[in-house]
């Protein structure tokens, strides 16, 4: 009886074509995953930036209601100030403690002889009123800010206004919203909206601040 034959084992690996196909698939999957992760991260950072602006509005509201003393002046309101540049990379919380520009008619006036006398004019009058300045980082910017008067929305990006002040003044929780046009005219608004833009796309997130004191992210003026 013939003994069983034994055959040598042959080691078999990847061919060059198989290796190239495998590497291509891995490269494509990695690129898709990284792109998706980057987009997701940018979305998170965009929302985070918008909420930072909204929280700054709440901070100004809280400071205004508490009437915190600033530079030795009591009873000053506090607000947010936006000035348009291209791109707009910063904004400020200001204390309304002086009246250099003319006071608009919708700014509450209190007799100077009373304890509740106000020193300001409901407007940002320069660096002497700056309480805190916020710089947007990682390429994010404020692409636009707008105010609504009646049924009209006036925005900075199309030249409608050049600055926007949103002021909170004790004892009211309501906001005093004022825009300054390119010609220097003052306009009272019932609602303001600020748009924050991602550095890598046209994606924006909007913050709405109403005259009633509401501050919300992801909303626009109705």
């Amino acid at each position: 009886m013939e003994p069983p034959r034994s055959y040598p084992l042959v080691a078999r690996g990847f061919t060059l074509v198989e290796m190239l196909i495998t590497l291509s698939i891995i490269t494509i999957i990695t690129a898709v995953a990284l792109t998706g992760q980057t987009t997701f991260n940018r979305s998170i950072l965009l929302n985070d930036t918008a909420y930072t602006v909204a929280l700054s509005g709440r901070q100004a509201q809280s400071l205004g209601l508490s009437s915190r003393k600033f530079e030795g002046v009591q009873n000053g309101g506090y607000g947010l100030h936006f000035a348009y540049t291209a791109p707009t990379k910063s904004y400020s919380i200001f204390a309304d403690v002086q009246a250099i520009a003319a006071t608009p008619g919708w700014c509450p006036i209190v007799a100077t002889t009373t304890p509740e006398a106000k020193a300001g004019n409901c407007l940002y009058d320069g660096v002497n009123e700056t309480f805190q300045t916020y710089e947007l980082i990682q390429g994010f910017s404020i692409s636009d800010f707008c105010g609504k008067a009646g049924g009209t929305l006036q925005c900075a990006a199309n030249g409608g206004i050049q600055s926007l002040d949103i002021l909170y003044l004790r004892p009211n929780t309501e906001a005093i919203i004022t825009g300054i046009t390119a010609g220097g005219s003052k306009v009272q608004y019932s609602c303001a909206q600020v748009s924050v833009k991602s550095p890598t796309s046209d994606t924006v997130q909007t913050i709405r601040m109403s005259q009633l004191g509401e501050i919300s992210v992801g909303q626009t003026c109705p």
Side-chain angles (χ1 to χ4, degrees):
M1 184 175 179
E2 190 174 326
R5 297 181 182 181
S6 61
Y7 296 93
L9 296 175
V10 178
R12 189 173 187 277
F14 289 107
T15 65
L16 180 60
V17 173
E18 290 173 330
M19 184 179 296
L20 290 176
I21 292 174
T22 302
L23 289 174
S24 297
I25 293 173
I26 292 173
T27 301
I28 292 171
I29 292 174
T30 302
V32 170
L34 288 176
T35 301
Q37 184 65 37
T38 300
T39 302
F40 176 75
N41 288 342
R42 286 294 180 186
S43 177
I44 293 295
L45 289 173
L46 178 62
N47 285 331
D48 184 64
T49 303
Y51 275 102
T52 297
V53 176
L55 287 172
S56 297
R58 286 300 185 198
Q59 182 183 3
Q61 189 178 45
S62 177
L63 289 167
L65 291 174
S66 66
S67 192
R68 172 174 171 166
K69 183 180 290 187
F70 182 80
E71 299 295 332
V73 179
Q74 195 74 47
N75 293 336
Y78 282 79
L80 293 182
H81 172 72
F82 299 91
Y84 188 72
T85 56
T88 302
K89 303 289 290 183
S90 65
Y91 63 95
S92 299
I93 293 180
F94 72 98
D96 184 31
V97 295
Q98 55 187 15
I100 296 175
T103 303
W106 49 89
C107 180
I109 302 296
V110 180
T112 56
T113 56
T114 69
E116 291 297 316
K118 306 295 189 296
N121 57 359
C122 299
L123 301 171
Y124 176 69
D125 283 310
V127 293
N128 290 334
E129 289 191 328
T130 302
F131 175 77
Q132 191 168 6
T133 297
Y134 292 88
E135 299 284 344
L136 274 63
I137 60 174
Q138 298 186 358
F140 289 88
S141 63
I142 295 172
S143 59
D144 202 4
F145 52 81
C146 310
K148 190 168 187 179
T152 303
L153 196 65
Q154 296 180 323
C155 298
N158 59 17
I161 53 175
Q162 62 180 8
S163 67
L164 178 69
D165 294 332
I166 305 165
L167 184 79
Y168 301 93
L169 184 65
R170 193 182 74 170
N172 302 312
T173 57
E174 292 84 0
I176 302 166
I177 307 174
T178 306
I180 308 294
T181 68
S185 299
K186 302 177 185 67
V187 184
Q188 181 183 23
Y189 297 128
S190 61
C191 178
Q193 64 186 47
V194 180
S195 299
V196 179
K197 181 179 179 297
S198 169
T200 56
S201 69
D202 292 329
T203 305
V204 299
Q205 183 61 282
T206 306
I207 306 97
R208 181 177 70 195
M209 304 182 190
S210 76
Q211 194 176 39
L212 297 176
E214 172 225 13
I215 300 175
S216 57
V217 174
Q219 303 291 324
T220 58
C221 292

